[in-house]
Amino acid sequence: SGPRAAARRTSERPSAAAVATLDPGRSPPDAFAVDGREVFLSYPSGAGRSHLTLDYLERRLAVEGTARNGRTVLRLAALLAD
């Protein structure tokens, strides 16, 4: 079914110091990238057992947010393009 991905939009831009506290090796092979208020997540084996949880991200980044899976993000982008 291909790679699983999610996007998380935070209530405000996390500080660089907060982003630096995120551990890239916390849950291999899962990965993340922070770009402004967005956190992009890759869960090759699925999000169910990942340690890159929304709770972990909120605590480390000190911001609240909402998450959507990759399929939903693509659908929303298509709606906005119309």
Side-chain angles (χ1 to χ4, degrees), residues 24-52:
R26 178 175 171 86
S27 189
D30 304 332
F32 64 86
V34 179
D35 183 13
R37 290 177 55 191
E38 283 72 44
V39 180
F40 299 97
L41 301 152
S42 172
Y43 302 113
S45 300
R49 294 190 177 156
S50 177
H51 295 283
L52 293 177

Side-chain angles (χ1 to χ4, degrees), residues 8-64:
R8 181 174 185 279
R9 175 95 171 160
T10 59
S11 56
E12 58 190 84
R13 184 184 195 117
S15 70
V19 172
T21 70
L22 295 174
D23 178 7
R26 178 175 171 86
S27 189
D30 304 332
F32 64 86
V34 179
D35 183 13
R37 290 177 55 191
E38 283 72 44
V39 180
F40 299 97
L41 301 152
S42 172
Y43 302 113
S45 300
R49 294 190 177 156
S50 177
H51 295 283
L52 293 177
T53 63
L54 295 179
D55 180 62
Y56 168 77
L57 294 168
E58 284 186 345
R59 284 186 291 110
R60 291 294 180 133
L61 297 176
V63 292
E64 294 179 350

